[in-house]
């Protein structure tokens, strides 16, 4: 811990070194109108059994992304110590205030947790939560899985993803986990600004990190939950954290062949320069050609005005789209990614494949 930072104000009601199953809270003191000496109570479960790696499983980094929250709440109530080799730390709602409000950001300070790392123990509530994860929980883990989806404003094809990293071995370990997750798509993801992401905080500590996008629209479906729950179990199996329940090491593959997609640069993102009513001309998963009209924005202040057309900047498939029809300037309308045969860089390890 840096000498310039005080210890985190957050305390845990679980013993991270104890064996067995524990359910408790991360408690962050707050003083608000409704509770002068109150606390933000972040639910946490720790399941430990003997020696082995530690996995940190998180959802609710954004409070309106329910696929991860629901799946991890279910896992926390069912995972038994006898099924674990090592330790599994489960935090279904990292940004609990946001999840309770059904919002992307915290109602306590407006903070977007996934734009708040590495955090600050002297900052606002969201920054203090980020600091605790960065300085306490992440150093404990060997592998981390952060479950995202599109929330209320995006709908996204279900994928697990890794990032390009300076450390090629770390990149390949994360990519192998993203493939093992077993979503219909595996992604090499390009972030518009990764500086303050949880992803970057974890990766900068040398940890193996996998992220996901698993649907959206501010809801979940039986299909999206099935993909998420299967993926979490595959993740734990892949990194050697489950020893019973399924044949050791057996990964449950998706029913259709997995599609590899790459986001090389910012040209994948199509963002609106107008406000109005959005018409998407393609559905998620559709093939896109460079220059093709993928969206139109209609002026809602008058009739008789021609819509503004937005065109794809690259070939690929539509992997994400804005969910609400009303669009504002700066909103991401669509994301187009390139279909590839392999996500491995030239000269690195062979392309990761699911077990036959």
């Amino acid at each position: 811990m840096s000498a310039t930072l005080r210890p985190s104000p957050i305390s845990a009601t679980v013993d991270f070194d104890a064996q067995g199953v524990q359910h408790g809270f991360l408690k962050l003191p707050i003083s608000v109108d409704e509770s002068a000496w109150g606390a933000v109570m972040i639910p946490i479960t720790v399941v430990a059994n003997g020696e082995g790696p530690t996995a940190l499983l998180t959802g609710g980094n954004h409070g309106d992304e329910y696929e991860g929250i629901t799946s991890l709440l279910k896992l926390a109530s069912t995972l038994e110590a006898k099924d674990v080799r090592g330790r599994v730390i489960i935090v279904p709602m990292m940004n609990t205030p946001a999840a309770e409000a059904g919002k992307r950001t915290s109602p306590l300070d407006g903070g977007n947790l996934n734009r708040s790392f590495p955090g600050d123990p002297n900052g606002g509530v969201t920054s203090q939560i980020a600091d605790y994860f960065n300085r306490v929980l992440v150093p404990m883990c060997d592998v981390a899985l952060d479950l995202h989806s599109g929330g209320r404003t995006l709908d996204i094809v279900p994928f697990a993803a890794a990032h390009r990293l300076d450390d090629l071995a770390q990149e390949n370990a994360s990519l192998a986990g993203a493939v093992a997750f077993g979503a219909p798509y595996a992604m090499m993801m390009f972030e518009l600004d990764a500086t303050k992401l949880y992803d970057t905080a974890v990766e900068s500590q040398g940890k193996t990190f996998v992220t996901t996008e698993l649907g959206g629209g501010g809801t979940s479906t039986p299909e999206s939950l099935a993909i998420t729950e299967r993926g979490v179990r595959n993740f734990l199996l892949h990194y050697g954290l489950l020893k019973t329940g399924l044949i050791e090491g057996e990964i449950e593959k998706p029913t259709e062949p997995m599609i590899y997609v790459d986001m090389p640069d910012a040209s994948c993102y199509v963002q609106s320069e107008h406000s109005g009513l959005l018409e998407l001309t393609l559905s998620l998963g559709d093939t896109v050609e460079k220059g093709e009209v993928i969206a139109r924005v209609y002026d809602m202040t008058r009739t008789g005005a021609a819509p503004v057309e937005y065109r794809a900047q690259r070939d690929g498939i539509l992997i994400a789209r804005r969910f609400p029809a009303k669009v504002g300037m700066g909103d991401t309308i669509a994301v187009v990614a390139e279909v590839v045969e392999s996500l491995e860089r030239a000269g690195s390890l062979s392309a990761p494949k699911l077990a036959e």
Side-chain angles (χ1 to χ4, degrees):
M1 184 180 67
S2 171
T4 62
L5 296 178
R6 69 170 176 131
S8 172
I10 294 177
S11 60
T13 66
V14 295
D15 180 354
F16 291 105
D17 296 322
Q19 299 291 294
V21 178
Q22 301 174 76
H23 304 290
F25 300 94
L26 306 175
K27 297 174 63 175
L28 170 58
I30 59 170
S31 182
V32 295
D33 289 340
E34 294 78 16
S35 185
W37 290 348
V40 174
M41 306 287 282
I42 303 173
I44 185 170
T45 292
V46 181
V47 182
N49 184 20
E51 297 296 322
T54 292
L56 177 58
L57 309 180
T58 53
N61 195 327
H62 295 128
D64 62 349
E65 299 176 3
Y66 297 110
E67 294 82 354
I69 295 173
T70 305
S71 297
L72 292 185
L73 285 172
K74 292 174 69 174
L75 179 67
S77 67
T78 57
L79 188 62
E80 299 182 26
K82 65 180 179 62
D83 295 330
V84 171
R85 179 192 290 112
R87 179 173 57 176
V88 179
I89 301 172
I90 306 170
V91 186
M93 296 167 288
M94 294 174 72
N95 195 343
T96 295
E100 290 176 341
K103 298 177 60 178
R104 182 175 179 84
T105 59
S106 173
L108 296 179
D109 60 3
N112 181 337
L113 182 57
N114 209 31
R115 304 296 187 275
S116 299
F117 284 85
D120 182 353
N122 297 314
V125 168
T126 305
S127 190
Q128 289 176 330
I129 294 172
D131 169 72
Y132 184 84
F133 273 85
N134 188 55
R135 290 197 291 151
V136 179
L137 290 184
V138 172
M140 292 183 189
C141 81
D142 299 290
V143 297
L145 172 65
D146 193 31
L147 297 168
H148 285 264
S149 63
R152 291 182 299 170
T153 64
L154 292 171
D155 197 10
I156 306 175
V157 299
F159 67 77
H163 300 104
R164 295 295 181 205
L165 301 172
D166 293 336
D167 185 325
L168 187 56
Q170 182 187 10
E171 177 184 306
N172 282 328
S174 297
L175 179 56
V179 173
F181 188 91
Y185 297 79
M187 167 82 75
M188 186 59 69
M189 193 169 186
F190 177 85
E191 307 283 0
L192 288 174
D193 183 1
T195 305
K196 296 183 179 181
L197 295 182
Y198 175 57
D199 315 39
T200 302
V202 178
E203 291 162 348
S204 67
Q205 295 189 38
K207 310 295 184 175
T208 297
F209 180 80
V210 174
T211 189
T212 70
E213 298 289 352
L214 297 162
T219 189
S220 63
T221 67
E223 294 77 16
S224 66
L225 286 179
I227 291 169
T228 307
E229 292 173 32
R230 179 186 70 198
V232 171
R233 192 167 190 84
N234 283 349
F235 179 89
L236 294 175
L237 281 167
H238 175 76
Y239 292 112
L241 282 133
L242 293 186
K243 65 177 185 179
T244 60
L246 290 174
I247 298 173
E248 185 172 327
E250 181 179 324
I251 302 298
E252 185 180 352
K253 296 183 289 186
T255 56
E256 300 293 332
M258 184 178 293
I259 299 172
Y260 288 175
V261 286
D262 186 22
M263 294 176 65
D265 53 45
S267 69
C268 296
Y269 293 86
V270 180
Q271 293 179 314
S272 180
E273 297 179 2
H274 302 83
S275 298
L277 192 66
L278 176 65
E279 176 197 7
L280 270 296
T281 63
L282 299 170
S283 298
L284 287 178
D286 282 354
T287 299
V288 182
E289 294 184 1
K290 183 177 181 180
E292 180 180 355
V293 175
I294 59 175
R296 301 182 183 95
V297 176
Y298 292 85
D299 187 342
M300 298 176 68
T301 66
R302 58 182 50 81
T303 59
V308 179
E309 294 184 338
Y310 284 84
R311 299 177 182 271
Q313 301 176 68
R314 62 184 316 111
D315 295 337
I317 61 172
L318 185 69
I319 63 156
R321 54 154 291 173
R322 179 167 173 80
F323 190 74
K326 196 170 185 297
V327 65
M329 293 183 65
D331 291 338
T332 291
I333 295 173
V335 182
V336 177
E338 178 184 356
V339 178
V340 295
E341 293 185 1
S342 172
L343 294 171
E344 293 281 359
R345 284 191 277 183
S348 65
L349 303 174
S350 59
K353 298 293 183 184
L354 291 173
E356 296 296 335

